[in-house]
């Protein structure tokens, strides 16, 4: 089912949760709504499900307007953040619920319902748990029950609200892959809400980055990560070092005192001469000697060698700004750095944004 | 104390001298509590039955089978049979509205529900006299149309309903608020109608608290004295509920009969407490089972 969100605005009291949001999702796509808490992503998901009504704007599902269509008529599968399993029902009863409440004329026979429940529990690998109650399951198992329950009514659209939020890192990773495979098998349109950029980049076909009720950028994981449209996107997707500087050719790198607050930022190519530069830790390199005059001089403060890469925290000499650098183990060994040494920081890649005075 | 054989959990409690008071203070506290309870609860309770059976079992049964006594029992049961279901219905509706929706005047509604507990029952009764009494606001109109509310069954029922309004609602509001709306929302996204959602999801989740509220409500409805006393008119065999009948008998120095009827009310209280204890165990049991889930849930909230 294709989805069209058309200039949707939603307020809770004076607080604008969604500000004129537009979005198009193609049939069969898996899209992630990514943003910090309070950015409006869950509200948008609930509007799509019909659990909230937009103040302005329209929703089209499969090409027809559904803004005022009731939840029960939308044929949407919704997986809640805390699963919302029916605690007084067994796993099998939970999964069967959507089928048993169908009007008698549409309802499958009890035998057929049982069969369908068995199929779904096999799909989510929980056949053995059919007779258990939700409280007897682990978080990851509950998550899969919730998914099976949502899939039972054969929804055309699957909406997942922070589906892996409450799980530990390892289970999360497994379930993520599993969801991706499931999606590829079922060809169902899916929208996933998350605040975890890694999750969004790994699972989704496209990522919608949201911030304070606005859509900041829509694109494939590569697009949003490699070509962020705004400083917010750049900062939200992964660690980043921020340098404030002036737009003198190749001389914007030395860290200058931070600019005053309250200024707008826009992509390069517009008005003013002030710029802000973002460099990811792994896009920075260190040298023992100054290679060009624009390099920042810094002191090595901490070296963290645990993990696949070495993380180094530096302090810039002239501004006391902290800089984070990530090196490969080989590069680190080659440099043979020690804490307290003076090095020069060299950016291999960076994102530059101009600052607009408001 | 130590020589007693105690179950393992109690054993632990006693032995844990690091976290408990000294034996002297412990015994003093327990002793005081027991003495207090004996004086103020157990002795009066025993006295009711002792007085009732003072002239033997025959006199006891006779005073219960007395026509007026039977009428008061019938009336009390009838009043409870009307008031309790109505308040259960209202309690569920009010708790639902308060827990699941945001609306203007929500706080006022919560306060209003508590009002009957804050107001003296006598005043609750007087309110109805003021409204429906002969000199009251609607009194003349009711008299013209030959509708009797005061000093009749409708007045007693109204006063009882008023006094027992809070019991079910107060029991359900915190529970429904803590349960949130997610399960109900899940049900409607799965295609359930409002009624199906209520029957299959909401009701099973609140059933034990609802039963608990109904038990308390029933105990109060049958035992209410003050409000009913004001509106009943004390007509023997007609508008006397059991508590009122007890008072009349007692004032007539008919102690045995008074205590016999009182013993029925006492029995009701004892049965209510027993059922309440069972229901309480049931209401607490599922929350213990559900604990791992709530842990996971709170763990995820940042």
């Amino acid at each position: 089912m294709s989805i069209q969100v058309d200039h949707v605005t939603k307020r809770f009291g004076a607080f604008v949760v969604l500000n004129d949001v537009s979005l198009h999702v193609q049939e069969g796509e898996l899209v992630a709504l990514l943003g910090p808490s309070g950015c409006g992503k869950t509200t948008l998901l609930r509007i799509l499900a019909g659990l909230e009504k937009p103040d302005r704007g329209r929703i089209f599902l499969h090409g027809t307007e559904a803004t005022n269509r009731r939840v029960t008529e939308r044929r949407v599968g919704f997986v809640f953040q805390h699963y919302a399993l029916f605690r007084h029902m067994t796993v099998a009863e939970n999964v069967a619920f959507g089928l048993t409440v169908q009007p008698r004329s549409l309802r499958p026979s009890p035998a057929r319902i049982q069969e369908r429940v068995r199929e779904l529990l096999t799909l989510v690998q929980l056949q053995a748990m059919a007779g258990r109650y939700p409280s007897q399951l682990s978080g990851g198992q509950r998550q899969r029950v919730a998914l099976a329950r949502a899939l039972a009514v054969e929804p055309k659209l699957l909406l997942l609200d922070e589906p892996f939020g409450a799980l530990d890192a390892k289970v999360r990773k497994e379930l993520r892959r599993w969801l991706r495979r499931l999606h590829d098998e079922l060809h169902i349109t899916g929208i996933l809400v998350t605040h975890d950029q890694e999750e969004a980049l790994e699972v989704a076909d496209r990522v919608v980055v949201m911030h304070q009720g606005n859509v900041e950028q829509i694109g494939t994981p590569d697009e949003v990560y490699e070509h962020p449209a705004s400083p917010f996107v750049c900062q939200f997707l992964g660690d980043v070092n921020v340098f404030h500087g002036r737009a003198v050719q190749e001389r914007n790198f030395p860290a200058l005192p931070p600019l005053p607050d309250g200024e707008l930022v826009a992509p390069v190519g517009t008005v003013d001469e002030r710029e802000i530069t973002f460099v990811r830790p792994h896009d920075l390199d260190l040298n023992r000697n100054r290679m060009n005059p624009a390099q920042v001089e810094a002191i090595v403060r901490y070296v963290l060698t645990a993990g696949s890469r070495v993380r180094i925290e530096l302090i810039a000499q002239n501004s006391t700004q902290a800089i984070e650098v990530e090196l490969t183990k080989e590069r680190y060994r080659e440099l043979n750095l020690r804490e307290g040494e003076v090095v020069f920081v060299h950016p291999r890649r960076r994102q530059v944004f101009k600052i607009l005075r408001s | 104390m130590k020589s007693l054989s105690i179950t393992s959990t109690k054993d632990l409690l006693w032995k844990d001298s690091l976290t408990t008071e000294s034996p002297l203070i412990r015994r003093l506290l327990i002793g005081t509590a027991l003495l207090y309870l004996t004086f103020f609860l157990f002795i009066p309770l025993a006295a009711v039955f002792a007085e009732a059976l003072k002239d033997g079992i025959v006199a006891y049964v006779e005073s219960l089978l007395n026509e007026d006594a039977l009428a008061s029992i019938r009336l009390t049961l009838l009043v409870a049979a009307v008031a309790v279901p109505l308040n259960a219905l209202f309690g569920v509706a009010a708790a639902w509205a308060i827990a699941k929706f945001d609306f203007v005047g929500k706080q006022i509604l919560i306060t209003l529900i508590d009002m009957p507990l804050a107001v003296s029952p006598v005043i609750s009764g007087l309110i109805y006299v003021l409204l429906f009494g002969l000199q009251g606001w609607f009194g003349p109109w009711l008299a013209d149309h030959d509708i009797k509310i005061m000093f009749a069954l409708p007045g007693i029922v109204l006063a009882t309903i008023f006094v027992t309004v809070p019991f079910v609602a107060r029991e359900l509001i915190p529970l429904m608020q803590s349960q949130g709306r997610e399960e109900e929302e899940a049900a409607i996204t799965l295609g359930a109608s409002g009624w199906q959602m209520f029957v299959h999801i909401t009701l099973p989740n609140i059933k034990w608290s609802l039963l608990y509220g109904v038990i308390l409500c029933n105990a109060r409805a049958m035992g209410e004295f003050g409000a009913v006393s004001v509106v009943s008119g004390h007509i023997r065999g007609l508008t006397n509920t059991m508590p009122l009948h007890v008072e009349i008998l007692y004032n007539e120095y008919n102690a045995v009969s008074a205590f016999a009827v009182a013993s029925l009310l006492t029995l009701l209280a004892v049965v209510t407490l027993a059922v309440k204890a069972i229901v309480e165990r049931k209401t607490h049991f599922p929350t213990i089972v559900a604990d791992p889930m709530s842990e996971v849930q709170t763990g995820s909230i940042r």
Side-chain angles (χ1 to χ4, degrees):
Chain A
M1 178 152 62
S2 67
I3 303 166
Q4 178 82 45
V5 176
D6 197 16
H7 298 287
V8 161
T9 296
K10 175 79 184 171
R11 281 193 191 83
F12 289 137
F15 183 66
V16 180
V17 192
L18 291 172
N19 182 18
D20 198 28
V21 169
S22 292
L23 176 67
H24 181 78
V25 178
Q26 272 157 12
E27 181 145 9
E29 246 189 328
L30 182 55
V31 169
L33 302 181
L34 175 66
S37 45
C39 73
K41 55 193 192 302
T42 296
T43 306
L44 181 55
L45 199 73
R46 290 172 61 86
I47 286 175
L48 288 174
L51 293 169
E52 306 274 358
K53 236 187 114 157
D55 295 336
R56 239 181 303 142
R58 296 189 294 174
I59 305 289
F60 294 88
L61 298 178
H62 210 70
T64 55
E65 179 159 5
T67 319
N68 294 313
R69 206 181 294 168
R70 296 181 60 83
V71 196
T72 40
E73 292 155 17
R74 291 200 190 195
R75 298 204 59 190
V76 157
F78 199 104
V79 177
F80 289 82
Q81 185 173 7
H82 302 303
Y83 325 128
L85 296 179
F86 307 134
R87 63 195 100 181
H88 59 285
M89 294 185 193
T90 62
V91 166
E93 286 165 349
N94 263 283
V95 176
F97 185 82
L99 299 170
T100 52
V101 294
Q102 280 180 357
R104 197 154 294 163
S105 55
L106 300 172
R107 194 190 309 157
S109 66
R112 176 78 192 103
I113 291 180
Q114 278 206 343
E115 197 188 315
R116 182 97 183 100
V117 168
R118 213 171 309 125
E119 281 168 22
L120 285 159
L121 288 180
T122 311
L123 182 74
V124 298
Q125 297 152 9
L126 286 173
Q127 306 95 300
M129 305 289 170
R132 300 250 186 124
Y133 284 92
S135 56
Q136 298 166 312
L137 302 180
S138 72
Q141 290 169 335
R142 279 181 212 157
Q143 174 61 61
R144 283 181 281 156
V145 175
L147 203 55
R149 184 179 68 177
L151 290 172
V153 290
E154 290 169 36
K156 293 182 175 158
L157 172 63
L158 190 60
L159 303 173
L160 304 130
D161 187 7
E162 299 271 4
F164 315 120
L167 305 171
D168 61 69
K170 195 160 172 288
V171 179
R172 198 138 104 191
K173 212 155 191 174
E174 275 169 29
L175 270 179
R176 226 188 266 165
R177 298 227 176 86
W178 178 82
L179 175 71
R180 182 69 241 184
R181 275 204 310 277
L182 190 78
H183 178 261
D184 293 343
E185 276 170 35
L186 298 176
H187 303 295
I188 200 173
T189 310
I191 298 187
L192 159 100
V193 156
T194 178
H195 63 265
D196 181 347
Q197 36 100 8
E198 208 182 303
E199 196 166 289
L201 297 180
E202 190 180 316
V203 174
D205 296 319
R206 281 196 305 150
V207 178
V208 178
V209 187
M210 295 182 65
H211 180 44
Q212 293 178 347
N214 294 296
V215 171
E216 292 271 328
Q217 188 174 7
I218 304 176
T220 63
D222 276 342
E223 280 166 8
V224 292
Y225 190 79
E226 301 292 341
H227 307 288
S230 70
F232 173 79
V233 176
C234 192
Q235 275 181 297
F236 195 73
L237 293 173
D239 294 329
V240 77
N241 291 296
V242 184
F243 300 95
H244 297 279
R246 294 186 196 283
V248 183
Q249 283 244 306
E250 285 310 311
R251 291 223 46 232
N252 62 330
F253 199 59
L256 293 173
L259 295 163
D261 286 336
E263 287 182 320
L264 280 172
V265 182
V268 175
T270 37
V271 204
D272 203 59
E273 88 278 12
R274 290 214 231 179
E275 289 183 343
I276 190 164
T277 305
F278 294 88
V279 191
R280 301 217 181 271
H282 60 258
D283 284 333
L284 283 173
D285 194 13
L286 300 178
N287 293 309
R288 288 196 164 275
N289 305 306
R290 190 182 281 278
M291 309 287 279
N292 76 53
Q295 282 186 330
V296 172
E297 193 178 347
I299 299 172
V300 178
R301 203 158 70 167
Y302 299 114
V303 179
L304 291 155
T305 50
S308 57
R309 307 187 118 237
V310 180
R311 285 194 295 136
I312 300 161
E313 198 184 311
L314 307 137
I315 291 285
Q317 284 277 48
N318 57 352
S319 70
T320 69
Q321 181 192 358
I323 303 169
E324 208 177 299
V325 178
E326 225 177 85
L327 298 178
T328 60
K329 292 241 156 153
E330 293 77 44
R331 179 67 184 146
Y332 172 69
R333 254 175 257 133
E334 208 178 298
L335 284 165
N336 192 23
L337 288 176
R338 242 167 266 131
E339 286 172 11
E341 280 185 304
V342 174
V343 288
F344 298 92
V345 182
H346 172 77
R348 281 189 297 251
R349 279 193 75 230
R350 58 176 183 251
Q351 300 289 335
V352 185
F353 295 95
K354 265 212 169 163
I355 298 172
L356 291 176
R357 285 223 188 88
S358 52
Chain B
M1 274 286 160
K2 270 176 198 159
S3 60
L4 287 171
S5 70
I6 329 172
T7 58
S8 59
T9 47
K10 275 183 187 163
D11 223 12
L12 267 176
L13 285 175
W14 286 117
K15 276 185 181 165
D16 200 356
S17 56
L18 290 178
T19 54
T20 53
E21 308 300 327
S22 74
L24 181 73
I25 293 184
R26 232 159 45 202
R27 274 168 219 173
L28 208 68
L29 280 173
I30 295 171
T32 316
L34 283 180
L35 209 68
Y36 189 89
L37 291 179
T38 310
F39 260 108
F40 289 100
L41 286 178
F42 184 70
I43 291 181
L45 196 66
V48 170
F49 289 96
E51 281 292 320
L53 293 165
K54 199 168 64 182
D55 293 350
I57 193 91
V58 179
Y60 177 77
V61 174
E62 261 175 12
S63 40
L64 287 184
L65 292 179
N66 169 286
E67 219 171 276
D68 291 343
L70 283 177
S72 77
I73 294 171
R74 266 197 301 271
L75 180 63
T76 298
L77 291 177
L78 179 63
V79 169
V82 178
V84 174
L86 277 177
N87 272 331
L89 215 63
F90 166 79
V92 172
W96 180 293
I98 286 166
K100 315 275 173 175
F101 300 106
D102 296 311
F103 53 90
V104 183
K106 192 161 151 173
Q107 276 309 318
I108 297 173
L109 182 59
I110 294 174
T111 315
L112 272 181
I113 288 172
D114 278 350
M115 200 178 63
L117 290 180
V119 171
S120 160
V122 176
I123 294 166
S124 310
L126 283 174
I127 293 168
Y128 286 100
V129 176
L130 188 73
L131 287 176
F132 304 122
L134 266 183
Q135 270 78 47
W137 291 1
F138 306 111
W141 186 88
L142 290 169
D144 287 348
H145 292 77
D146 205 22
I147 302 169
K148 267 191 85 77
I149 290 185
M150 277 302 101
F151 313 128
L153 180 66
I156 298 171
V157 169
L158 282 176
T160 306
I161 289 177
F162 181 86
V163 172
T164 55
V165 154
F167 290 93
V168 173
R170 274 173 66 97
E171 203 55 48
L172 292 181
I173 290 167
L175 176 76
M176 288 175 97
Q177 274 176 334
S178 75
Q179 283 180 345
R181 312 177 193 184
E182 270 206 344
E183 282 184 50
E184 271 110 2
E185 285 179 348
I188 55 171
T189 62
L190 289 166
S193 65
W195 177 247
Q196 284 173 321
M197 174 186 76
F198 180 74
V199 171
H200 294 298
I201 310 301
T202 313
L203 213 50
N205 276 340
I206 62 168
K207 63 180 173 198
W208 291 114
S209 289
L210 177 61
L211 187 57
Y212 184 53
V214 164
I215 289 167
L216 289 180
C217 182
N218 182 56
R220 183 66 194 266
M222 290 191 174
E224 176 54 29
F225 179 84
V228 171
S229 173
V230 175
V231 297
S232 113
H234 303 269
I235 307 165
R236 258 183 199 239
L238 268 182
T239 64
N240 265 348
T241 60
M242 283 164 78
L244 300 183
H245 190 60
V246 171
E247 196 215 13
I248 288 180
L249 290 173
Y250 188 77
N251 286 343
E252 289 170 351
Y253 303 105
N254 191 350
V256 170
S257 295
F259 277 106
V261 178
S263 73
L264 277 189
L265 279 171
T266 313
L267 267 181
L268 169 78
V270 172
V271 169
T272 303
L273 286 177
V275 177
K276 175 182 160 239
I278 295 166
V279 170
E280 245 174 8
R281 204 174 304 155
K282 288 276 189 188
T283 47
H284 289 150
F285 179 64
T287 55
I288 291 165
V289 174
D291 252 352
M293 182 191 249
S294 55
E295 245 169 60
V296 172
Q297 290 185 351
T298 47
S300 72
I301 294 165
R302 271 151 260 254

